[in-house]
């Protein structure tokens, strides 16, 4: 046992050298990504904050009614967002919303094609599965350190860490949805002369859409769960008052900011859920 401990593999040193090498030789690449993503996120935040709060609430309520045709849902969303305004966390909520929106869009744009490709190529999923397991199980603070070194302090390392944590959900659920398409449906499409692209868009994706949408909602929830951790590396939003409340043992502030996070999670979940015939809350 002592011999095994004395001959420790320098795994940490290898990772450290690799990150240092990236930081030296690919600094321009990571700086470009940081500047580009930072510009887009900050631009979206400024647009949202420039919009009058009541107008933005009305737009979200109108979107909810258009998607679900539910007066109950609209009343709930309006009341929930007005509560956030009343608590004084509207600007922080918009900053969190921008982070979650960007993390979800990037995760879905990358995750859905990877899920489709891995469903059609079992060897690819065999390669991806241990990587996805690692991304979901490794403590978030571990990969927060290299992202902070590579992308600097601010919203971008928080966004990258959020994507790493959230992207396995759309990949796995897209793979599940495409893999469970009944063979009879695929064979029926092939018998009518459908190409592989036509099978994908007209047979597989429509059948797998509910599962893919479940991946979307999971991605949103996982992104919101990273809000507090992203605040530790300089990301603005509702995570900052939570961290501040933790440092000062301020129960009231922590509960109010946490309530705002829960409200945003519920609102986004209800908006993204498929429309039901008898839609309630």
């Amino acid at each position: 046992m002592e011999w095994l401990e004395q001959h420790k593999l320098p795994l940490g040193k290898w990772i450290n050298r690799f990150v240092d090498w990236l930081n030296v030789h690919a600094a321009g690449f990571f700086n470009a990504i940081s500047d580009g993503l930072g510009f887009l996120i900050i631009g979206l935040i400024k647009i949202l904050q420039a919009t009058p709060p009541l107008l933005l609430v009305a737009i979200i309520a109108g979107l909810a009614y258009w998607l679900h045709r539910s007066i109950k849902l609209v009343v709930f969303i309006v009341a929930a967002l007005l509560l956030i305004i009343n608590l004084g966390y509207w600007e922080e909520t918009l900053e969190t919303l921008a982070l979650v929106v960007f993390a979800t869009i990037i995760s879905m744009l990358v995750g859905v094609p990877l899920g489709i490709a891995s469903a059609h190529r079992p060897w690819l999923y065999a390669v991806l599965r241990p990587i996805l397991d690692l991304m979901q199980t490794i403590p978030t603070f571990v990969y927060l350190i290299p992202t902070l070194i590579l992308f600097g302090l601010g919203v971008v390392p928080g966004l990258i860490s959020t994507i790493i944590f959230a992207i396995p959900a759309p990949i796995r659920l897209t793979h599940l949805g495409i893999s469970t398409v009944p063979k009879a449906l695929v064979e029926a499409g092939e018998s009518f002369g459908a190409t592989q692209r036509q099978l994908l868009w007209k047979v597989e994706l429509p059948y797998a859409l509910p599962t893919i949408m479940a991946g979307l909602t999971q991605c949103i929830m996982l992104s919101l769960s990273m809000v507090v951790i992203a605040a530790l590396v300089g990301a603005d939003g509702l995570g900052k008052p939570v961290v501040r409340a933790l440092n000062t043992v301020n129960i009231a502030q922590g509960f109010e900011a946490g309530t705002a996070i829960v409200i945003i999670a519920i609102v986004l979940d209800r908006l993204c859920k498929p429309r039901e015939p008898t839609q309630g809350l």
Side-chain angles (χ1 to χ4, degrees):
M1 188 67 180
E2 292 181 0
W3 179 87
L4 190 60
E5 293 178 353
Q6 291 173 357
H7 294 78
K8 175 184 175 181
L9 287 174
L11 181 60
K13 292 182 179 179
W14 293 341
I15 299 297
N16 188 37
R17 289 175 182 174
F18 178 67
V19 172
D20 289 341
W21 183 87
L22 288 177
N23 197 30
V24 172
H25 294 87
F29 172 73
F30 290 110
N31 289 337
I33 293 178
S34 181
D35 294 340
L37 291 177
F39 174 79
L40 292 174
I41 296 174
I42 293 173
L44 178 59
I45 291 173
K46 288 182 177 179
I47 292 173
L48 292 175
Q49 291 180 343
T51 306
L54 294 181
L55 176 59
L56 197 54
V57 170
I59 292 173
I60 297 174
L63 177 63
Y65 184 78
W66 179 68
L67 289 174
H68 298 279
R69 295 293 191 273
S70 171
I71 297 297
K72 291 182 179 180
L73 179 61
V74 171
V75 171
F76 167 75
I77 289 177
V78 171
L81 296 179
L82 290 179
L83 176 59
I84 293 178
I85 296 175
N86 177 261
L87 293 175
Y89 289 103
W90 184 247
E91 290 190 1
E92 291 84 354
T93 297
L94 296 181
E95 292 166 349
T96 294
L97 186 61
L99 177 65
V100 171
V101 166
F102 269 94
T104 302
I105 290 175
I106 295 174
S107 296
M108 294 300 292
L109 287 177
V110 176
V112 172
L114 275 178
I116 294 172
S118 61
H120 291 157
R121 301 168 180 82
W123 65 266
L124 178 58
Y125 188 68
V127 173
L128 287 176
R129 186 166 55 184
I131 300 175
L132 298 178
D133 292 340
L134 182 66
M135 294 166 70
Q136 288 185 305
T137 56
I138 191 170
T140 51
F141 289 101
V142 173
Y143 52 76
L144 203 61
I145 300 171
T147 54
L148 180 60
I149 294 173
L150 295 174
F151 295 99
L153 193 67
V155 68
V156 175
L159 174 65
I160 299 298
S161 300
T162 301
I163 292 171
I164 294 173
F165 184 68
I167 199 172
I171 294 176
R172 289 185 186 276
L173 287 172
T174 301
H175 172 269
L176 176 64
I178 299 296
S179 298
T180 55
V181 175
K183 291 184 178 180
L185 285 179
V186 177
E187 291 174 354
E190 291 175 343
S191 66
F192 283 99
T195 63
Q196 290 297 322
R197 180 174 296 181
Q198 290 172 332
L199 285 175
L200 174 63
W201 286 100
K202 296 184 179 181
V203 177
E204 294 177 335
L205 284 178
Y207 184 89
L209 185 60
T211 308
I212 296 174
M213 291 303 296
L216 172 63
T217 56
Q218 285 293 312
C219 189
I220 292 172
M221 296 302 108
L222 291 171
S223 298
L224 277 168
S225 69
M226 287 289 291
V227 166
V228 177
I229 296 175
L232 297 176
V233 292
D236 295 324
L238 291 168
K240 276 194 172 180
V242 172
V243 173
R244 197 176 299 121
L246 179 63
N247 292 333
T248 59
V249 198
N250 190 329
I251 298 175
Q253 185 182 26
F255 184 81
E256 289 175 352
T259 299
I261 294 174
V262 172
I263 289 173
I264 290 300
I266 295 174
V267 168
L268 291 176
D269 179 69
R270 297 301 185 269
L271 284 175
C272 295
K273 274 189 174 180
R275 182 179 173 183
E276 297 178 2
T278 56
Q279 180 73 28
L281 291 181

